[in-house]
Amino acid sequence: MKEDSEALRESLRPRLLRALEFAAGQTRRTVRTYPDYTPMYTVRGRWNREGERWTHWCEGFYPGIMWLLHKATGEAEWRQLAERYSRPLEPRRFDRTVHDLGFLFFSTYLRWYRLTGENRLRDILVDAGRTLALRRQQGGYLASFVGPQSLFIDIMMNVGLLLWAANETGDQKLRDVALEHCRTTQRCLVRSDGGTAHEGVFDSQTGRFLHTGTHQGWSPDSTWSRGLAWALYGFTAVYRLSGEPEFLETAQCCASYYLEHAPPGLVPPWDFDAPAAGLRLWDSSAAAIAASGLWDLSEAVVASNQREEYRRTALTILQTLCSDSFLAQSLPDWEGILLHAVYHYHKRLGVDESVAWGDHFFVEALVKALAGRSDAAW
């Protein structure tokens, strides 16, 4: 008989608390060693040595960790640091060069706003949502930074910013753009078995879908594990923000693929379809995103058996990530939190390293699991 998820959560509590304390220590270390720097990926375990970044999408994750640590501990130090590291992002609410404004502002300004209720912070979030909506293309999607022809599965983690802004302002047009994007992503990037493609390529003049592609996965037809995790988490988020049941169904379909294809311990390879010989690298960041998304999914479903399954899965992932195989606590010279993540395999960027988003979503999942509820992270 499977252990009840609440009993499992309580048995894991000491381990989860130690992991959160370790994450706090590593974050303090980064602040002390590299003041006012925001990490992206390590090079041989050290921050501030990145080469190419490909695009600037990670600057919200470490301030996001600081907001999470303030929420979890109540310590004033973390709020002071979170505000200090979040403020430089404010001008980027008008940044039209990236599709990642949700990553930048949900992890920082939304947490700040929910703490204080200041109208100024709300307005910054709404501005960011309206800026992101300007990426809408003829084909009914928000274009990736690559160009107007490109739709990324990653954007499911950002489109919620439009829905949040629409809910705050009553702007139906914003809501329509967001829902249209989600439905195009469902149709073009989510397969019937719940696997996902990284990219959809369109005729930018007519809006006609042409084919799938990939920049980070093994192939256009493979399921890149971080992309699947973005979809699982992102479709759950848009269901919570929109109330549209079709998005919950899609999130569950993606969750089923993850559960059916992840190995024991539930930390996946960087791509589920990559050949085993020499290429079967873990991606702990995909696991961390999935753990946090599965906790949210457990709160979104009605059936108690599904709720139990998603919570047990999230806790099993966290149990694995808190082990010495994935947590850097036994490596005193390592500056990140989680080992064995992959940023961009083909460009050889951040391969088998720590990555900022992996650390962020790991801490987010820890905070949710320790509190027993998703809103603990906000």
Side-chain angles (χ1 to χ4, degrees):
M1 181 177 178
K2 291 183 178 179
E3 186 176 11
D4 174 82
S5 67
E6 184 58 25
L8 177 59
R9 187 174 74 89
E10 286 304 314
S11 71
L12 289 176
R13 178 176 291 277
R15 190 180 303 184
L16 302 181
L17 282 169
R18 287 194 297 272
L20 189 65
E21 290 167 3
F22 173 72
Q26 292 293 82
T27 305
R28 286 193 182 97
R29 173 182 179 174
T30 300
V31 169
R32 183 176 63 250
T33 308
Y34 311 110
D36 298 310
Y37 155 79
T38 52
M40 188 178 200
Y41 59 87
T42 60
V43 176
R44 293 184 292 279
R46 300 293 184 90
W47 296 121
N48 207 25
R49 288 163 171 76
E50 296 96 336
E52 183 183 352
R53 287 180 174 251
W54 199 35
T55 182
H56 290 273
W57 63 286
C58 292
E59 290 81 1
F61 291 129
Y62 253 61
I65 290 174
M66 296 166 189
W67 285 112
L68 287 163
L69 291 170
H70 173 66
K71 180 82 170 180
T73 67
E75 294 177 13
E77 171 201 13
W78 290 119
R79 177 173 175 181
Q80 292 164 3
L81 284 169
E83 291 189 13
R84 170 179 145 194
Y85 278 74
S86 296
R87 284 193 188 97
L89 293 172
E90 183 175 338
R92 295 195 65 185
R93 70 191 190 276
F94 300 121
D95 185 349
R96 295 187 61 179
T97 66
V98 297
H99 59 254
D100 302 297
L101 297 182
F103 283 135
L104 297 179
F105 287 93
F106 265 2
S107 57
T108 56
Y109 276 79
L110 182 56
R111 289 174 174 145
W112 195 350
Y113 174 63
R114 286 188 170 170
L115 180 66
T116 68
E118 294 178 53
N119 287 334
R120 177 185 70 85
L121 302 173
R122 172 190 174 275
D123 292 345
I124 290 168
L125 288 158
V126 170
D127 284 343
R130 288 179 170 152
T131 299
L132 183 57
L134 298 174
R135 303 192 71 82
R136 182 192 177 274
Q137 302 299 314
Q138 181 70 24
Y141 59 92
L142 304 173
S144 83
F145 80 96
V146 170
Q149 77 285 355
S150 171
L151 163 65
F152 275 11
I153 195 68
D154 317 43
I155 303 172
M156 286 306 306
M157 293 291 289
N158 295 278
V159 68
L161 185 59
L162 274 68
L163 289 167
W164 187 90
N167 292 341
E168 284 291 311
T169 62
D171 188 332
Q172 184 62 40
K173 289 183 179 179
L174 272 182
R175 179 182 171 87
D176 290 345
V177 169
L179 297 182
E180 177 187 52
H181 172 88
C182 296
R183 288 169 181 146
T184 301
T185 303
Q186 278 179 322
R187 185 177 72 254
C188 299
L189 299 189
V190 181
R191 306 185 188 105
S192 59
D193 65 354
T196 53
H198 180 203
E199 182 185 35
V201 180
F202 293 75
D203 183 315
S204 58
Q205 298 301 313
T206 67
R208 184 170 66 90
F209 175 67
L210 300 176
H211 57 81
T212 58
T214 193
H215 294 264
Q216 300 209 49
W218 175 247
S219 74
D221 299 322
S222 69
T223 293
W224 172 50
S225 64
R226 191 164 83 240
L228 178 70
W230 291 145
L232 189 167
Y233 189 123
F235 277 106
T236 303
V238 298
Y239 167 70
R240 290 156 70 99
L241 287 162
S242 71
E244 298 289 336
E246 65 187 281
F247 302 137
L248 179 59
E249 293 171 10
T250 301
Q252 290 187 268
C253 189
C254 293
S256 293
Y257 187 98
Y258 190 100
L259 270 61
E260 290 167 10
H261 292 82
L266 301 179
V267 175
W270 69 278
D271 190 295
F272 284 102
D273 300 296
L279 298 173
R280 205 67 166 168
L281 298 163
W282 304 113
D283 187 0
S284 60
S285 75
I289 298 157
S292 192
L294 284 162
W295 195 277
D296 293 349
L297 188 55
S298 78
E299 295 184 355
V301 296
V302 174
S304 59
N305 63 320
Q306 292 177 335
R307 185 181 312 117
E308 277 291 300
E309 180 181 31
Y310 296 145
R311 289 199 177 190
R312 277 198 309 268
T313 304
L315 291 165
T316 299
I317 294 171
L318 286 176
Q319 184 176 18
T320 305
L321 293 179
C322 288
S323 71
D324 284 341
S325 295
F326 288 96
L327 198 63
Q329 56 193 350
S330 63
L331 301 175
D333 293 332
W334 198 277
E335 295 176 341
I337 298 169
L338 281 183
L339 305 167
H340 305 311
V342 175
Y343 172 25
H344 201 306
Y345 176 83
H346 301 293
K347 287 179 175 284
R348 309 306 296 172
L349 305 176
V351 176
D352 200 23
E353 295 283 350
S354 294
V355 296
W357 58 93
D359 288 358
H360 171 271
F361 286 104
F362 176 60
V363 173
E364 184 181 86
L366 287 173
V367 169
K368 291 175 182 178
L370 283 165
R373 62 183 198 280
S374 289
D375 64 3
W378 301 97

